[in-house]
Amino acid sequence: MSTDAEMEQYGPAAICLRKPEKERIKAQNTPFDAKMAFIVTDPDEVYVKCKLIKREGGKSTVETEGGKTVTVKEEDIHPRNPPKFDKMEDMAMMTHLNESSVLFNLKERFASWMIYTYSGLFCVVENPYKWLPVYDATCVAAYRGKKRIEAPPHIFSISDNAYQFMLTVENLVQERLSTPNVSSSTSQQLHELRRNHHLARCSFCCGKNICIYQLQVLLAVFAL
C-alpha cells in the first residue's frame, strides 16, 4: 500500500484514489468484535453499521452507530468486515463478501469520492455527477507503466495494463516470426495477429475508439 509521500505523484487526485496513511493506521488499531459487529438494513440509508445486543425468537436487537435501537428479523443483519477493510480497494479481498458488505463498501468509498473500486477482475465505477481531479495529465502520467497491483483502482490502470499486454504479445509474435521451421499456416496466423495489433495500437495512439476481440489465434501463438 502506497505511503502519503508516494501518493503525491498523483497530484490533487490522490485523495480521491486511496485512503490516507493516518486513516489506514487508525482502522488497523480500532477494536473489533466479530461476534457483535453487523450491518443492518435501514429504510433511509439501505445499510448501516450496528452492534448486536441480543437474539431471541428468530429476531435480533441491535444498536446502530447513530445510537438507535431496532429489532429486526435475523436475516436482516449481516456479518461486518473488520475496520481494516473499510473502503476496500478490491472487494474480492474482504472477509465477508455479500450484498450488504459490497454496497456498504461502495457507499463509503463514494462518500470520499473514490469512484473506482475493483471486484476481482472487474472495475466498478460510480458516477459522481461532478468533475473530479482524477483525469488530468499528472494522474495519467502516474499510472503509466504500473502494474494493476502497484496503483489505486482506476480506468487508467486497466487501459495501460491492456496496452502493455498488447505490446508484449506483439513482441512475442516478432520472436516467433524470426524462428526457423515455423509452418506456413502458423506463419500466416502470426502475420495476421501482428497486423491486428498494429491497427489497434495505431487507433489507440490516434485517440480513436477501438474494439478489442479475443482472438483464438493467440492460443496458437502460446502453444508453439
Side-chain angles (χ1 to χ4, degrees), residues 66 78 125 146 160 210:
H78 312 275
V125 186
K146 287 187 176 65
D160 190 78
I210 61 171

Side-chain angles (χ1 to χ4, degrees), residues 39 70 129 136 211:
I39 295 176
V70 295
Y129 293 100
D136 58 20
C211 294

Side-chain angles (χ1 to χ4, degrees), residues 6 21 43 48 57 60 66 76-77 95 98 100 105 120 123 136-137 143-144 160 164 183 188 200 207 212 217:
E6 291 171 331
E21 271 187 288
V48 294
S60 300
D76 288 334
I77 64 171
T95 303
N98 48 46
S100 59
N105 188 70
C123 183
D136 58 20
Y143 276 95
R144 186 168 296 139
D160 190 78
Q164 295 300 326
S183 67
Q188 290 302 314
I212 300 177
V217 70

Side-chain angles (χ1 to χ4, degrees), residues 140-200:
V140 172
Y143 276 95
R144 186 168 296 139
K146 287 187 176 65
K147 296 180 181 178
R148 174 171 149 158
I149 60 173
E150 296 174 341
H154 201 296
I155 191 64
F156 290 165
S157 181
I158 300 293
S159 60
D160 190 78
N161 276 262
Y163 182 61
Q164 295 300 326
F165 176 74
M166 183 179 71
L167 296 181
T168 300
V169 173
E170 185 177 29
N171 290 334
L172 176 62
V173 171
Q174 294 283 5
E175 291 179 10
R176 296 308 300 170
L177 284 173
S178 62
T179 302
N181 302 322
V182 175
S183 67
S184 176
S185 61
T186 300
S187 178
Q188 290 302 314
Q189 290 176 338
L190 290 171
H191 279 298
E192 181 63 20
L193 181 60
R194 183 173 64 174
R195 171 184 171 276
N196 290 336
H197 277 273
H198 175 71
L199 291 176

Side-chain angles (χ1 to χ4, degrees), residues 11-22:
I15 194 63
C16 299
L17 298 174
R18 178 162 285 167
K19 293 190 299 183
E21 271 187 288
K22 184 177 179 180

